[in-house]
């Protein structure tokens, strides 16, 4: 992204957007900041309260100054008033599981244009930290970024032989060093993965507590979801381990998992072998065991990120292809052609007609499992696993909300899975997640009511991020710029201030200067 592009984006936004305030702003400067008033809106504040009509939202700097009825809140003299009759305002949305490739000219703006003001990157690299600094410093428009460590897996890792950054640990010393390295590089959490041995998983959990870092990710194949929850695992991703832990023949199936020895290519081999066991586990699902497990997860406050949209692409790829009006915003190197290749080589290679039928059935059993989690009071987070085949960055979160309603969530509950629940899971509920006085001014202006139809979250009119109001015209300009950037080849230059390659998310531990 060259200087002229930055200048162009800045000029475009300057005509329609409020300035960004940083924490370094002095009190006197803050007092002098203008107030922006969104008037005549219907507010859905994310708390679970019903929609509030004819409201005024006051924004000062990067904070919500007030939210109240239009006839009860005075608009300060000199405020910039934006009348929005017939519009709906919701908190900024959060995607709690994604993997963003190094294209700062595409993804940050694309996410914001879709109303996503917070994201959680689940395989961090130095580039992601560079990106976060660029956004927080005001050089780029983009979401707030929570960044995990690199994937921490066992050996062999599912990613051995594939261009995906990860760390393989084989001893207690290496497991502890992986956690310490995560803290040293500024990661917000440790990402654990599928092939971690049980003993090393416990070492990572203990070291993460000592280092004051949450840990989250995949419940490892050889670990029990119950113990993972009791050890304080913050979030379970993709519902891994749940069918196994709720199967009537659990012991027999766990012995089958323990017997699995993977051959290269490891990911494809794992995907097929574990599917066979997962299918058997789902067929002998025990609702009473599930109720006891889910009660424990709810009691422990173990959040679930089911990533239904990811499973749509993995289980039923022929039905998951995004429309062209979404794909046009994605770099060609990461769009439909690449997705088709990855699906064919990783997910579909060797899949029999019988397995194809099983996966279609299993997809809907996953939907039922998500509904059962919700009914048991287990907190659920909206996440997409963007970076997986057929998951379109930004747009996919709106698909995830629709799938949550198909699992039995009300529109309000689905909306909360992308607003207040992520804020709670990230430990920032005092700052984000609801439209409450004093919280961050992150919100989305919609053309239609998402409580009557959750699909209306796609009807984004304007976005407010860090107090910056990106009006409809500025949002359209952002999307047009993203489309132009996506059509260009991957940049070969490295962004200033970071030392990893910028040709895709292919950062090794050695590139990052990490040693085990």
């Amino acid at each position: 992204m060259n200087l002229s592009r930055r200048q162009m984006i800045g000029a475009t936004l300057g005509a329609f957007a409020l300035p960004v305030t940083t924490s370094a702003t002095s009190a006197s400067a803050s007092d002098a900041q203008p107030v922006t008033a969104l008037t005549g809106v219907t507010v859905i504040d994310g708390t679970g309260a019903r929609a509030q009509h004819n409201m005024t939202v006051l924004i000062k700097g990067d904070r919500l100054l007030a939210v109240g009825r239009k006839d009860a809140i005075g608009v300060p003299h000199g405020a910039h008033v934006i009348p929005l009759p017939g519009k709906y305002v919701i908190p900024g949305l959060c995607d709690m599981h994604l993997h963003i490739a190094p294209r700062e000219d595409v993804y940050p703006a694309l996410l914001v244009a879709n109303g996503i003001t917070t994201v959680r990157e689940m395989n961090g690299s130095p580039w992601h930290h560079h990106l976060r600094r660029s956004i927080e410093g005001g050089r780029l428009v983009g979401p707030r970024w929570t960044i995990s460590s690199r994937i921490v897996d066992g050996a062999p890792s599912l990613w051995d032989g594939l261009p995906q950054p990860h760390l393989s640990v084989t001893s207690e010393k290496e497991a502890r060093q992986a956690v310490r390295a995560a803290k040293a590089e500024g990661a917000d959490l440790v990402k654990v993965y599928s092939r971690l041995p049980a003993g090393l998983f416990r070492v990572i959990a203990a070291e993460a507590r000592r280092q004051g870092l949450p840990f989250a990710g995949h419940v490892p194949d050889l670990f029990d979801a119950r113990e993972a929850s009791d050890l304080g695992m913050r979030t379970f991703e993709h519902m891994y381990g749940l069918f196994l832990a709720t199967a009537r023949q659990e012991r027999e199936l766990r012995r089958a998992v323990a017997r699995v020895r993977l051959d290269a290519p490891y990911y494809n081999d794992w995907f097929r072998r574990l599917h066979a066991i997962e299918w058997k586990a789902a067929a002998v699902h025990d609702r009473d065991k599930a109720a006891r497990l889910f009660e424990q997860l709810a009691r422990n406050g173990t959040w679930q990120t089911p990533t239904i949209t990811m499973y749509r692409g993995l289980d039923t790829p022929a039905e998951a292809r995004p429309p062209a009006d979404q794909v046009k915003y994605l770099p060609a190197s990461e769009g439909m052609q690449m997705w088709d290749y990855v699906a064919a080589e990783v997910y579909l290679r060797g899949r029999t007609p019988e397995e194809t039928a099983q996966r279609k059935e299993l997809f809907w059993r996953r939907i039922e499992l998500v509904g059962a989690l919700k009914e048991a009071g287990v907190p659920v987070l909206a996440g997409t696993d963007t970076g997986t085949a057929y998951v379109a960055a930004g747009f996919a979160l709106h698909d995830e909300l629709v799938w949550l309603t198909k699992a039995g969530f009300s529109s309000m509950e689905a909306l909360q899975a992308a607003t207040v629940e992520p804020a709670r899971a990230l430990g920032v509920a005092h700052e984000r997640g609801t439209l409450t006085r004093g919280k961050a001014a992150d919100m989305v202006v919609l053309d239609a009511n998402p409580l009557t139809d959750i699909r209306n979250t796609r009807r984004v009119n304007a976005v407010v991020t860090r107090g910056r109001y990106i009006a409809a015209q500025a949002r359209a300009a952002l999307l047009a710029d993203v489309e132009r950037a996506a059509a260009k080849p991957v940049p070969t230059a490295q962004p200033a201030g970071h030392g990893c390659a910028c040709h895709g998310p292919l950062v090794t531990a050695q590139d990052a200067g990490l040693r085990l």
Side-chain angles (χ1 to χ4, degrees):
M1 191 180 199
N2 57 36
L3 183 60
S4 61
R5 181 175 298 282
R6 294 188 201 122
Q7 290 173 329
M8 180 177 66
I9 289 178
T12 301
L13 287 172
F16 306 101
L18 299 174
V20 176
T21 302
T22 68
S23 58
T25 305
S26 67
S28 59
S30 177
D31 291 342
Q33 287 169 348
V35 171
T36 294
L38 313 183
T39 62
V41 297
T42 296
V43 171
I44 302 167
D45 63 14
T47 65
R50 63 177 57 187
Q52 304 167 77
H53 303 287
N54 202 23
M55 299 285 281
T56 293
V57 178
L58 300 182
I59 303 166
K60 186 171 185 178
D62 62 355
R63 296 282 150 180
L64 285 170
L65 183 62
V67 179
R69 288 195 57 82
K70 186 176 181 180
D71 55 8
I73 288 187
V75 176
H77 177 72
H80 177 49
V81 178
I82 304 175
L84 294 170
K87 305 301 182 187
Y88 295 79
V89 177
I90 63 173
L93 300 172
C94 178
D95 189 333
M96 282 293 282
H97 191 126
L98 46 57
H99 303 277
I100 290 298
R103 286 297 298 266
E104 66 176 25
D105 53 347
V106 172
Y107 292 112
L110 182 58
L111 292 165
V112 165
N114 274 281
I116 299 171
T117 59
T118 298
V119 297
R120 186 174 62 155
E121 167 61 47
M122 289 302 285
N123 192 15
S125 74
W127 181 81
H128 294 107
H129 291 276
H130 159 79
L131 178 64
R132 178 161 65 181
R133 289 191 297 270
S134 297
I135 294 170
E136 291 178 351
R139 189 176 71 82
L140 291 175
V141 173
R144 303 174 192 272
W145 230 277
T146 294
I147 304 172
S148 83
S149 71
R150 238 164 233 85
I151 287 170
V152 182
D153 204 2
S157 169
L158 300 184
W159 292 106
D160 286 353
L162 293 173
Q164 179 76 3
H166 63 279
L167 298 173
S168 292
V169 296
T170 60
S171 68
E172 292 186 7
K173 179 180 179 182
E174 289 179 345
R176 286 191 292 270
Q177 287 177 330
V179 176
R180 293 167 189 168
K183 185 171 184 178
E185 69 184 8
D188 300 304
L189 67 146
V190 178
K191 169 72 177 288
V192 293
Y193 216 64
S194 295
R195 299 304 291 174
L196 270 174
L200 298 187
F201 181 87
R202 294 187 185 99
V203 169
I204 288 171
E207 187 62 29
R209 283 196 300 273
R210 278 192 289 270
Q211 298 297 331
L213 281 179
F215 69 102
H218 297 194
V219 175
D221 297 340
L222 299 173
F223 209 76
D224 186 348
R226 303 170 188 85
E227 185 181 353
S229 177
D230 284 342
L231 286 173
M233 189 168 174
R234 180 65 63 85
T235 67
F236 288 4
E237 306 301 302
H238 319 303
M239 300 184 289
Y240 287 153
L242 295 190
F243 276 127
L244 195 60
T246 58
R248 284 193 295 276
Q249 282 85 37
E250 181 181 354
R251 290 185 180 179
E252 176 186 338
L253 292 167
R254 287 196 182 279
R255 285 194 293 268
V257 173
R259 289 194 296 268
V260 169
R261 297 293 181 269
L262 299 180
D263 297 320
Y266 297 116
Y267 201 103
N268 172 262
D269 197 38
W270 172 83
F271 190 73
R272 290 198 64 205
R273 288 175 185 262
L274 268 293
H275 160 71
I277 298 172
E278 185 180 37
W279 171 251
K280 291 177 181 178
V284 292
H285 177 69
D286 186 320
R287 293 182 183 274
D288 291 335
K289 285 186 72 173
R292 292 192 295 273
L293 171 62
F294 296 168
E295 180 184 4
Q296 177 183 347
L297 299 179
R299 184 173 62 250
N300 288 345
T302 306
W303 280 270
Q304 305 293 308
T305 316
T307 61
I308 304 170
T309 304
M310 176 205 77
Y311 280 118
R312 183 68 163 170
L314 271 53
D315 290 337
T316 61
E319 302 169 11
R321 297 165 70 87
D325 62 356
Q326 296 178 11
V327 176
K328 70 180 182 179
Y329 295 111
L330 306 177
S333 60
E334 298 153 37
M336 198 67 75
Q337 185 175 356
M338 177 58 72
W339 286 340
D340 287 344
Y341 172 79
V342 170
E345 291 299 312
V346 178
Y347 304 120
L348 296 176
R349 179 191 283 187
R351 186 180 293 188
T352 66
E354 180 183 17
E355 288 172 335
T356 297
Q358 288 174 358
R359 284 208 165 267
K360 287 185 177 181
E361 172 65 23
L362 190 58
F363 176 75
W364 289 104
R365 295 193 184 190
R366 299 188 204 281
I367 298 287
E368 292 176 3
L369 196 66
V370 175
L373 286 164
K374 192 270 292 189
E375 288 301 317
V378 179
V380 173
L381 305 170
T384 62
D385 206 12
T386 290
T388 302
Y390 308 119
V391 180
F395 302 98
L397 184 67
H398 302 283
D399 298 334
E400 187 73 12
L401 300 186
V402 173
W403 285 116
L404 289 177
T405 62
K406 291 181 183 295
F409 286 58
S410 69
S411 292
M412 176 66 81
E413 289 167 336
L415 194 62
Q416 289 181 308
T419 54
V420 66
E421 287 300 337
R424 290 169 179 160
L426 295 174
V428 295
H430 61 291
E431 285 279 319
R432 289 176 246 161
T434 61
L435 299 181
T436 308
R437 175 184 172 88
K439 289 192 177 182
D442 293 345
M443 64 194 86
V444 191
V445 180
L446 302 174
D447 286 328
N449 188 350
L451 298 186
T452 57
D453 187 341
I454 195 62
R455 291 174 295 182
N456 287 333
T457 61
R458 296 180 176 130
R459 298 183 61 181
V460 178
N461 177 276
V463 181
V464 182
T465 175
R466 302 171 190 265
R468 170 175 284 183
Y469 184 84
I470 303 173
Q473 187 175 352
R475 177 178 176 270
L478 275 181
L479 286 171
D481 192 71
V482 167
E483 185 178 1
R484 286 190 294 269
K488 294 182 178 181
V490 177
T492 57
Q494 294 179 352
H498 97 103
C500 62
C502 201
H503 301 284
L506 317 182
V507 187
T508 66
Q510 289 74 23
D511 292 331
L514 295 179
R515 297 291 184 272
L516 290 182

